[in-house]
Each structure stands twice: as structure tokens, then as C-alpha cells.
């Protein structure tokens, strides 16, 4: 049920107390249906916060309604922030709090001298793909097979845990333009219309593989996914697993051949159509 609240009354702040971190664990269980074994241990959260890692929360009064948690990492010789978890309670998801929490993480990371943030997400989740690529401006050149193992206690992890590892270059022109609201959908759609997808959404709703050798000779390729994989999982888990296998093959082949994932369009054939990723070769923008 949608909660009626003025977004201006929602406070974004650092998590400062054991009570704050305890509320974080409650949100993990509610949003992802996790067993206690898979939630962040309270003692670890306390130690990580004390050691300078970034915990931010969204609060409706005293009640935490969302959070983002990131820890320091090291990649390619540079210190990064890995944003491990972001969650918002169901009744508050219409308030764009995910973006506000990411912006808060970015501000704190830049203040620490960090230039890049990373995180993972399920590439079959079209809403998350739109948020990450269209609104935030991430890129990806790494696909992780069953990153958290074949499954976890979460209700969202019944179809494997494959992940795209995304990079958010915090002060790049690309990111600054996305955060300023620049919309690239028309340019992305124009590019997608010229491509033969590496995986296509066929008329029956099944994944149809494309010609690999032909696709990999191009500078750009596309990979289509269902508009709502959770609905597919509820209706036909066999079909959902077929989409996992087909897109796993496509991403691994493309990334292995030097392509980067650079854009996502949530609908390419009308409101109920599939979404599509755009991948390209070449150097990354500054």
C-alpha cells in the first residue's frame, strides 16, 4: 500500500546509532524476505560504521523507511566505495528515495576523495537496469555468474544470482549529465533499431538467440530482456530460467569480446514490450 507523505518530510541522514542499524536489519528482512543468516550481522555493521564505511538512511520521523550501505574497496589500484545494499520499503517506493540515497552516497564518497562507486544488480530486473543506466549513468564490463551462489534465502534469488558489476564514475561528464536529468532514450532507441539482438524477445515470450559471430563483428550489440522477470518467474519458472541461461550466454560472450554495457531502454516495442541493453566497444567517456 502506498504511503501518503510529503517527500520533503523525508530526511536523508547518516546512521548514527545501534537503533538505526537494528532498523536496517528489519528492512532487509521485509524487503528481501531474508533469513537472519543472510542479513548483515549487527556487530559487523557497528564495526564497519565505526571504521568509516558509509551507512545512510531515509527516515519518516523516527522510522527508517530505506537505507544504502557501502564499504570501502580497492580496484585497479584505487580506493572505491562498493554499494552493497540499497532498499526502500514498498509503501515509499513512489518517492524516488533510491535516487536520493544514491546521491547521498555519492556526496559522501566524493568528500572522502573517492572517484568511483561500484555495485551489482540482477541484469534481468528491468526497473533496476533503467535506474542504474538511464538515471545514474553507470557502465559495466563485468558479468558475475551466481555471484551469491545458486540461491539464497531471499524470495528474489530463486533463479540464480547472476549479477552485472557496474561502475559509477562519480565526477564523469556522463554521470553529471544523467544527474542533471539529461535523457538519452531517443538516441538509444535509434541505435537499437539498427541492431540484430544477441538475444531477442520472440513473439511467444521466449528468448531467441542471435548470430553470435555476426553480432561480435559489430561495434554495437543489443540484448533484450522481459519487461517484468518477476511476473515471468511467478507464471513459469522454466521460462524464467531459460531467460537466465540465454542472457548469461549473451553477456559473457559480449563482455569477453570487449563490449561494455552502456545503456538500457525499458521498453522498445510499446508499453508492454521487452527492454534492451546497448553494448558497445571502444574507450569510456571521461
Amino acid at each position: 500500500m502506498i504511503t501518503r507523505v510529503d517527500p520533503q518530510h523525508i530526511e536523508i541522514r547518516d546512521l548514527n546509532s545501534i537503533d538505526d542499524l537494528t532498523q536496517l536489519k528489519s528492512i532487509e528482512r521485509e524487503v528481501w524476505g531474508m533469513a537472519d543468516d543472510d542479513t548483515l550481522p549487527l556487530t559487523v555493521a557497528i564495526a564497519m560504521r565505526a571504521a568509516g564505511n558509509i551507512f545512510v538512511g531515509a527516515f519518516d520521523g523516527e522510522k527508517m523507511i530505506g537505507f544504502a550501505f557501502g564499504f570501502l574497496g580497492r580496484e585497479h589500484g584505487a580506493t572505491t566505495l562498493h554499494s552493497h545494499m540499497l532498499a526502500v520499503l514498498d509503501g515509499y517506493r513512489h518517492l524516488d528515495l533510491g535516487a536520493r540515497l544514491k546521491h547521498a552516497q555519492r556526496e559522501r564518497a566524493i568528500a572522502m576523495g573517492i572517484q568511483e562507486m561500484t555495485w551489482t544488480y540482477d541484469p534481468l530486473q528491468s526497473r533496476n537496469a533503467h535506474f542504474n543506466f538511464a538515471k545514474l549513468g553507470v557502465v559495466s564490463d563485468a558479468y558475475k555468474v551466481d555471484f551469491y551462489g545458486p540461491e539464497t534465502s531471499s524470495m528474489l534469488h530463486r533463479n540464480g544470482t547472476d549479477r552485472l558489476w557496474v561502475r559509477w564514475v562519480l565526477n564523469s561528464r556522463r554521470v553529471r549529465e544523467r544527474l542533471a536529468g539529461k535523457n538519452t532514450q531517443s538516441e538509444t532507441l535509434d541505435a537499437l533499431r539498427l541492431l540484430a539482438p544477441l538475444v531477442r524477445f520472440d513473439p511467444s515470450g521466449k528468448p531467441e538467440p542471435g548470430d553470435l559471430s555476426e553480432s561480435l563483428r559489430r561495434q554495437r550489440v543489443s540484448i533484450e530482456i522481459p519487461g517484468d522477470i518477476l511476473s515471468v518467474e511467478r507464471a513459469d519458472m522454466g521460462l524464467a530460467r531459460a531467460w537466465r541461461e540465454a542472457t548469461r550466454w549473451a553477456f559473457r560472450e559480449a563482455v569477453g569480446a570487449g563490449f561494455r554495457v552502456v545503456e538500457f531502454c525499458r521498453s522498445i516495442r510499446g508499453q508492454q514490450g521487452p527492454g534492451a541493453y546497448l553494448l558497445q566497444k571502444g574507450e569510456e567517456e571521461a
Side-chain angles (χ1 to χ4, degrees):
M1 185 176 70
I2 292 176
T3 302
R4 303 297 178 186
V5 61
D6 184 344
Q8 298 303 314
H9 292 163
I10 303 299
E11 180 186 12
I12 306 294
R13 65 167 174 81
D14 295 304
L15 305 190
N16 298 314
S17 67
I18 292 177
D19 179 65
D20 287 345
L21 297 173
T22 300
Q23 289 196 66
L24 179 155
K25 286 175 64 67
S26 296
I27 292 176
E28 282 186 86
R29 287 190 291 266
E30 182 170 342
V31 170
W32 293 309
M34 284 183 170
D36 281 342
D37 285 351
D38 285 324
T39 62
L40 181 65
L42 182 60
T43 53
V44 174
I46 292 168
M48 295 191 78
R49 183 179 63 84
N53 294 285
I54 297 175
F55 290 79
V56 292
F59 288 83
D60 182 3
E62 296 299 314
K63 177 186 177 183
M64 187 191 297
I65 58 175
F67 74 88
F69 156 55
F71 52 82
L72 299 177
R74 192 80 177 164
E75 286 193 52
H76 312 298
T79 299
T80 62
L81 182 76
H82 186 74
S83 181
H84 179 52
M85 291 188 290
L86 186 151
V88 176
L89 293 179
D90 187 60
Y92 293 86
R93 289 181 188 168
H94 61 295
L95 300 177
D96 206 25
L97 295 179
R100 290 180 63 186
L101 287 163
K102 279 295 184 200
H103 295 177
Q105 282 187 306
R106 177 177 179 267
E107 291 169 3
R108 287 155 176 77
I110 289 173
M112 295 169 68
I114 294 170
Q115 300 302 313
E116 183 171 304
M117 191 184 305
T118 63
W119 61 88
T120 67
Y121 81 98
D122 183 347
L124 287 177
Q125 296 283 352
S126 64
R127 287 186 179 183
N128 290 347
H130 170 76
F131 176 66
N132 288 327
F133 286 92
K135 297 189 72 172
L136 298 181
V138 304
V139 295
S140 176
D141 57 9
Y143 185 92
K144 310 287 188 179
V145 175
D146 277 339
F147 185 61
Y148 296 112
E151 64 178 41
T152 75
S153 62
S154 172
M155 56 192 170
L156 301 179
H157 294 166
R158 295 292 185 259
N159 187 22
T161 64
D162 286 18
R163 294 292 184 266
L164 275 180
W165 181 283
V166 303
R167 298 171 46 239
W168 202 27
V169 185
L170 301 179
N171 261 324
S172 67
R173 181 178 65 183
R174 171 189 175 91
V175 168
R176 293 195 307 269
E177 287 179 347
R178 299 303 163 90
L179 296 185
K182 181 179 179 182
N183 189 326
T184 63
Q185 179 165 305
S186 59
E187 294 95 326
T188 305
L189 282 170
D190 286 343
L192 290 169
R193 290 190 184 101
L194 301 175
L195 301 177
L198 197 47
V199 173
R200 180 192 299 276
F201 193 97
D202 81 4
S204 69
K206 296 178 181 178
E208 179 183 316
D211 185 325
L212 178 63
S213 59
E214 170 62 23
S215 293
L216 297 188
R217 282 198 293 267
R218 298 173 176 238
Q219 286 298 111
R220 290 177 164 182
V221 299
S222 64
I223 297 173
E224 296 184 1
I225 64 169
D228 184 355
I229 190 63
L230 295 181
S231 293
V232 177
E233 289 179 4
R234 287 191 292 268
D236 186 343
M237 183 54 83
L239 178 58
R241 292 197 171 109
W243 274 103
R244 175 69 74 203
E245 292 170 5
T247 53
R248 175 187 289 174
W249 165 78
F251 278 113
R252 294 185 77 188
E253 291 289 346
V255 169
F259 287 85
R260 293 179 299 115
V261 190
V262 295
E263 301 290 355
F264 179 80
C265 270
R266 201 166 168 186
S267 178
I268 58 172
R269 298 179 198 159
Q271 294 301 310
Q272 301 304 315
Y277 288 94
L278 177 65
L279 298 82
Q280 69 181 28
K281 290 181 179 177
E283 295 298 319
E284 189 172 326
E285 296 177 2

